Amino acid sequence: MVMVLFVCTGNAARSQMAEGWLKNMKPGFTVLSAGTNPEGLSSRAVKAMQEVGLDVSDQISKHLDDVPWRDADFVVTLCGSANEICVAMNWPEKCVREHWPIADPDSDDEYINARDEIRDRIKDFVNRII
């Protein structure tokens, strides 16, 4: 079973949307998201995902320490500060790390742009690892 972990600072929007996309595209994967400083799930992220037919409203914002990050086969950071923290962590040798610098969304349009950019990166990711 492949485990993928998405990490951003707040685990409010970008990592939550990535989790939702990958769960939808690869239901056989174990997909988690976490934050270095969780802030709670963004209602704007939930709305942006609902617009494309994906419901992430049951996902919760978690701290990196609250998920089994040492079991991850892939970890994807979605912001610079999370990437800096993750670089310093002692990841298992098997874990492949990627950084996708997605801008922190603020307006409704930015949430849509982030959602769509994450979707495209997820599609590419799935094609590369299969």
Side-chain angles (χ1 to χ4, degrees):
M1 175 77 61
V2 174
M3 181 177 156
V4 181
L5 173 62
F6 295 101
V7 182
C8 65
T9 303
N11 190 221
R14 294 166 286 183
S15 55
Q16 295 283 355
M17 289 190 283
E19 178 182 350
W21 277 120
L22 187 56
K23 281 180 175 177
N24 178 262
M25 290 183 199
K26 289 303 290 177
F29 284 13
T30 299
V31 184
L32 300 170
S33 67
T36 58
N37 187 25
E39 299 172 356
L41 179 61
S42 164
S43 60
R44 285 176 147 175
V46 171
K47 180 183 175 204
M49 295 299 281
Q50 285 174 335
E51 290 173 358
V52 293
L54 296 178
D55 183 7
V56 298
S57 63
D58 63 341
Q59 294 176 195
I60 59 169
S61 185
K62 301 164 292 302
H63 191 277
L64 194 53
D65 291 337
D66 296 331
V67 298
W69 60 268
R70 288 174 185 87
D71 296 336
D73 297 295
F74 297 90
V75 62
V76 179
T77 53
L78 297 144
C79 69
S81 63
N83 188 50
E84 288 175 19
I85 289 169
C86 287
V87 164
M89 295 174 65
N90 187 21
W91 295 91
E93 277 188 37
K94 70 170 183 144
C95 185
V96 176
R97 289 191 336 95
E98 293 190 17
H99 177 58
W100 302 348
I102 309 286
D104 191 10
D106 190 37
S107 69
D108 288 344
D109 286 343
E110 289 172 355
Y111 272 86
I112 291 167
N113 291 340
R115 176 200 67 203
D116 294 348
E117 182 178 352
I118 291 166
R119 176 202 58 218
D120 294 346
R121 288 178 180 263
I122 294 285
K123 285 180 181 177
D124 176 65
F125 175 77
V126 168
N127 288 334
R128 284 187 288 117
I129 66 169
I130 293 179

